[in-house]
Amino acid sequence: QVQLVESGGGLAQTGGSLRVSCLTSGRTFSRSTMGWFRQAPGKEREFVATINWSGSILYYADSVKGRFTISRDNAKSTVYLQMNSLKAEDTAVYYCAGRRDTYTSGSRDYRDYFYWGRGTQVTVSS
């Protein structure tokens, strides 16, 4: 059974930092593009960041560029999202996603992803 399990969410203050992780199992994602998306209450799911299989191609949403960093450790089957300088508008459920095909570049479109985690809540307060 393929699983993507997010962890590391929680409560942070404005200007603070959090790191969320996505542990994958059930299949190898070491050759697959991975992504982070988020969904705030009453809003549509939106792209946050993506990383290709080797970590050489990274894309970010304009709203998080310069503040968030996506990375991966294929040996640990884990993808990370380091979030710095957090803002109240970063409050959302954060989802990890993985593509089913291999050796692709990063993707901003949620429709390109086949596997999804259940999400982890990130709340930023002042």
PDB file of all heavy atoms in Angstrom, residues 102-116:
ATOM      1  N   THR A 102       8.002   8.776 -13.959  1.00  0.00           N
ATOM      2  CA  THR A 102       9.369   8.952 -13.462  1.00  0.00           C
ATOM      3  C   THR A 102      10.175   9.901 -14.346  1.00  0.00           C
ATOM      4  O   THR A 102       9.836  10.135 -15.510  1.00  0.00           O
ATOM      5  CB  THR A 102      10.099   7.594 -13.406  1.00  0.00           C
ATOM      6  OG1 THR A 102      10.097   7.003 -14.709  1.00  0.00           O
ATOM      7  CG2 THR A 102       9.420   6.661 -12.414  1.00  0.00           C
ATOM      8  N   TYR A 103      11.231  10.426 -13.726  1.00  0.00           N
ATOM      9  CA  TYR A 103      12.202  11.276 -14.418  1.00  0.00           C
ATOM     10  C   TYR A 103      11.548  12.467 -15.119  1.00  0.00           C
ATOM     11  O   TYR A 103      11.914  12.818 -16.248  1.00  0.00           O
ATOM     12  CB  TYR A 103      13.018  10.447 -15.414  1.00  0.00           C
ATOM     13  CG  TYR A 103      13.790   9.329 -14.754  1.00  0.00           C
ATOM     14  CD1 TYR A 103      13.547   7.997 -15.076  1.00  0.00           C
ATOM     15  CD2 TYR A 103      14.747   9.607 -13.783  1.00  0.00           C
ATOM     16  CE1 TYR A 103      14.245   6.975 -14.448  1.00  0.00           C
ATOM     17  CE2 TYR A 103      15.443   8.593 -13.149  1.00  0.00           C
ATOM     18  CZ  TYR A 103      15.177   7.282 -13.494  1.00  0.00           C
ATOM     19  OH  TYR A 103      15.862   6.273 -12.866  1.00  0.00           O
ATOM     20  N   THR A 104      10.594  13.072 -14.454  1.00  0.00           N
ATOM     21  CA  THR A 104       9.963  14.274 -14.979  1.00  0.00           C
ATOM     22  C   THR A 104      10.504  15.485 -14.236  1.00  0.00           C
ATOM     23  O   THR A 104      11.105  15.369 -13.178  1.00  0.00           O
ATOM     24  CB  THR A 104       8.440  14.220 -14.813  1.00  0.00           C
ATOM     25  OG1 THR A 104       8.135  14.051 -13.426  1.00  0.00           O
ATOM     26  CG2 THR A 104       7.840  13.069 -15.604  1.00  0.00           C
ATOM     27  N   SER A 105      10.255  16.643 -14.800  1.00  0.00           N
ATOM     28  CA  SER A 105      10.654  17.877 -14.130  1.00  0.00           C
ATOM     29  C   SER A 105       9.604  18.244 -13.097  1.00  0.00           C
ATOM     30  O   SER A 105       8.591  17.572 -12.951  1.00  0.00           O
ATOM     31  CB  SER A 105      10.838  19.000 -15.143  1.00  0.00           C
ATOM     32  OG  SER A 105       9.632  19.229 -15.823  1.00  0.00           O
ATOM     33  N   GLY A 106       9.836  19.302 -12.365  1.00  0.00           N
ATOM     34  CA  GLY A 106       8.875  19.733 -11.367  1.00  0.00           C
ATOM     35  C   GLY A 106       7.554  20.118 -12.003  1.00  0.00           C
ATOM     36  O   GLY A 106       7.498  20.498 -13.165  1.00  0.00           O
ATOM     37  N   SER A 107       6.472  20.006 -11.211  1.00  0.00           N
ATOM     38  CA  SER A 107       5.157  20.305 -11.750  1.00  0.00           C
ATOM     39  C   SER A 107       4.349  21.125 -10.772  1.00  0.00           C
ATOM     40  O   SER A 107       4.272  20.786  -9.585  1.00  0.00           O
ATOM     41  CB  SER A 107       4.414  19.004 -12.072  1.00  0.00           C
ATOM     42  OG  SER A 107       3.096  19.266 -12.473  1.00  0.00           O
ATOM     43  N   ARG A 108       3.720  22.191 -11.271  1.00  0.00           N
ATOM     44  CA  ARG A 108       2.883  23.056 -10.446  1.00  0.00           C
ATOM     45  C   ARG A 108       1.412  22.642 -10.466  1.00  0.00           C
ATOM     46  O   ARG A 108       0.630  23.143  -9.681  1.00  0.00           O
ATOM     47  CB  ARG A 108       2.982  24.493 -10.956  1.00  0.00           C
ATOM     48  CG  ARG A 108       4.365  25.113 -10.875  1.00  0.00           C
ATOM     49  CD  ARG A 108       4.335  26.522 -11.459  1.00  0.00           C
ATOM     50  NE  ARG A 108       5.592  27.236 -11.334  1.00  0.00           N
ATOM     51  CZ  ARG A 108       6.555  27.202 -12.231  1.00  0.00           C
ATOM     52  NH1 ARG A 108       6.409  26.483 -13.316  1.00  0.00           N
ATOM     53  NH2 ARG A 108       7.678  27.889 -12.037  1.00  0.00           N
ATOM     54  N   ASP A 109       1.053  21.743 -11.338  1.00  0.00           N
ATOM     55  CA  ASP A 109      -0.347  21.389 -11.552  1.00  0.00           C
ATOM     56  C   ASP A 109      -0.715  20.177 -10.696  1.00  0.00           C
ATOM     57  O   ASP A 109      -0.133  19.098 -10.860  1.00  0.00           O
ATOM     58  CB  ASP A 109      -0.576  21.073 -13.027  1.00  0.00           C
ATOM     59  CG  ASP A 109      -2.036  20.943 -13.382  1.00  0.00           C
ATOM     60  OD1 ASP A 109      -2.854  20.691 -12.471  1.00  0.00           O
ATOM     61  OD2 ASP A 109      -2.361  21.101 -14.575  1.00  0.00           O
ATOM     62  N   TYR A 110      -1.697  20.341  -9.826  1.00  0.00           N
ATOM     63  CA  TYR A 110      -2.069  19.245  -8.944  1.00  0.00           C
ATOM     64  C   TYR A 110      -2.559  18.034  -9.732  1.00  0.00           C
ATOM     65  O   TYR A 110      -2.470  16.893  -9.259  1.00  0.00           O
ATOM     66  CB  TYR A 110      -3.138  19.692  -7.950  1.00  0.00           C
ATOM     67  CG  TYR A 110      -4.523  19.838  -8.526  1.00  0.00           C
ATOM     68  CD1 TYR A 110      -5.408  18.778  -8.513  1.00  0.00           C
ATOM     69  CD2 TYR A 110      -4.944  21.045  -9.084  1.00  0.00           C
ATOM     70  CE1 TYR A 110      -6.675  18.892  -9.045  1.00  0.00           C
ATOM     71  CE2 TYR A 110      -6.199  21.173  -9.620  1.00  0.00           C
ATOM     72  CZ  TYR A 110      -7.071  20.095  -9.597  1.00  0.00           C
ATOM     73  OH  TYR A 110      -8.318  20.215 -10.132  1.00  0.00           O
ATOM     74  N   ARG A 111      -3.010  18.227 -10.953  1.00  0.00           N
ATOM     75  CA  ARG A 111      -3.531  17.116 -11.750  1.00  0.00           C
ATOM     76  C   ARG A 111      -2.425  16.177 -12.215  1.00  0.00           C
ATOM     77  O   ARG A 111      -2.700  15.055 -12.650  1.00  0.00           O
ATOM     78  CB  ARG A 111      -4.311  17.655 -12.950  1.00  0.00           C
ATOM     79  CG  ARG A 111      -5.590  18.390 -12.561  1.00  0.00           C
ATOM     80  CD  ARG A 111      -6.181  19.135 -13.743  1.00  0.00           C
ATOM     81  NE  ARG A 111      -5.299  20.197 -14.210  1.00  0.00           N
ATOM     82  CZ  ARG A 111      -5.622  21.034 -15.188  1.00  0.00           C
ATOM     83  NH1 ARG A 111      -6.782  20.910 -15.806  1.00  0.00           N
ATOM     84  NH2 ARG A 111      -4.774  21.980 -15.544  1.00  0.00           N
ATOM     85  N   ASP A 112      -1.188  16.617 -12.114  1.00  0.00           N
ATOM     86  CA  ASP A 112      -0.065  15.757 -12.500  1.00  0.00           C
ATOM     87  C   ASP A 112       0.295  14.746 -11.415  1.00  0.00           C
ATOM     88  O   ASP A 112       1.076  13.835 -11.664  1.00  0.00           O
ATOM     89  CB  ASP A 112       1.174  16.602 -12.799  1.00  0.00           C
ATOM     90  CG  ASP A 112       1.035  17.403 -14.077  1.00  0.00           C
ATOM     91  OD1 ASP A 112       0.248  16.984 -14.955  1.00  0.00           O
ATOM     92  OD2 ASP A 112       1.708  18.444 -14.192  1.00  0.00           O
ATOM     93  N   TYR A 113      -0.272  14.912 -10.239  1.00  0.00           N
ATOM     94  CA  TYR A 113       0.101  14.071  -9.103  1.00  0.00           C
ATOM     95  C   TYR A 113      -0.948  12.998  -8.869  1.00  0.00           C
ATOM     96  O   TYR A 113      -2.144  13.264  -8.857  1.00  0.00           O
ATOM     97  CB  TYR A 113       0.283  14.917  -7.853  1.00  0.00           C
ATOM     98  CG  TYR A 113       1.432  15.888  -7.976  1.00  0.00           C
ATOM     99  CD1 TYR A 113       1.252  17.133  -8.563  1.00  0.00           C
ATOM    100  CD2 TYR A 113       2.705  15.534  -7.529  1.00  0.00           C
ATOM    101  CE1 TYR A 113       2.304  18.008  -8.702  1.00  0.00           C
ATOM    102  CE2 TYR A 113       3.763  16.409  -7.659  1.00  0.00           C
ATOM    103  CZ  TYR A 113       3.561  17.647  -8.239  1.00  0.00           C
ATOM    104  OH  TYR A 113       4.618  18.510  -8.378  1.00  0.00           O
ATOM    105  N   PHE A 114      -0.471  11.800  -8.649  1.00  0.00           N
ATOM    106  CA  PHE A 114      -1.368  10.660  -8.463  1.00  0.00           C
ATOM    107  C   PHE A 114      -1.507  10.273  -6.997  1.00  0.00           C
ATOM    108  O   PHE A 114      -2.573   9.855  -6.547  1.00  0.00           O
ATOM    109  CB  PHE A 114      -0.842   9.457  -9.250  1.00  0.00           C
ATOM    110  CG  PHE A 114      -1.751   8.275  -9.245  1.00  0.00           C
ATOM    111  CD1 PHE A 114      -2.844   8.221 -10.096  1.00  0.00           C
ATOM    112  CD2 PHE A 114      -1.532   7.210  -8.377  1.00  0.00           C
ATOM    113  CE1 PHE A 114      -3.697   7.128 -10.085  1.00  0.00           C
ATOM    114  CE2 PHE A 114      -2.371   6.115  -8.368  1.00  0.00           C
ATOM    115  CZ  PHE A 114      -3.461   6.072  -9.225  1.00  0.00           C
ATOM    116  N   TYR A 115      -0.431  10.406  -6.241  1.00  0.00           N
ATOM    117  CA  TYR A 115      -0.440   9.989  -4.844  1.00  0.00           C
ATOM    118  C   TYR A 115      -0.479  11.225  -3.936  1.00  0.00           C
ATOM    119  O   TYR A 115       0.240  12.201  -4.176  1.00  0.00           O
ATOM    120  CB  TYR A 115       0.815   9.175  -4.518  1.00  0.00           C
ATOM    121  CG  TYR A 115       0.954   7.917  -5.344  1.00  0.00           C
ATOM    122  CD1 TYR A 115       1.802   7.875  -6.438  1.00  0.00           C
ATOM    123  CD2 TYR A 115       0.221   6.775  -5.038  1.00  0.00           C
ATOM    124  CE1 TYR A 115       1.939   6.719  -7.200  1.00  0.00           C
ATOM    125  CE2 TYR A 115       0.347   5.616  -5.795  1.00  0.00           C
ATOM    126  CZ  TYR A 115       1.201   5.601  -6.874  1.00  0.00           C
ATOM    127  OH  TYR A 115       1.319   4.462  -7.622  1.00  0.00           O
ATOM    128  N   TRP A 116      -1.284  11.123  -2.879  1.00  0.00           N
ATOM    129  CA  TRP A 116      -1.464  12.258  -1.961  1.00  0.00           C
ATOM    130  C   TRP A 116      -1.454  11.784  -0.523  1.00  0.00           C
ATOM    131  O   TRP A 116      -1.945  10.694  -0.196  1.00  0.00           O
ATOM    132  CB  TRP A 116      -2.800  12.957  -2.229  1.00  0.00           C
ATOM    133  CG  TRP A 116      -2.830  13.684  -3.524  1.00  0.00           C
ATOM    134  CD1 TRP A 116      -3.120  13.175  -4.759  1.00  0.00           C
ATOM    135  CD2 TRP A 116      -2.544  15.069  -3.735  1.00  0.00           C
ATOM    136  NE1 TRP A 116      -3.022  14.156  -5.716  1.00  0.00           N
ATOM    137  CE2 TRP A 116      -2.671  15.329  -5.109  1.00  0.00           C
ATOM    138  CE3 TRP A 116      -2.182  16.126  -2.886  1.00  0.00           C
ATOM    139  CZ2 TRP A 116      -2.465  16.595  -5.663  1.00  0.00           C
ATOM    140  CZ3 TRP A 116      -1.973  17.365  -3.427  1.00  0.00           C
ATOM    141  CH2 TRP A 116      -2.112  17.601  -4.802  1.00  0.00           C
TER     142      TRP A 116
END
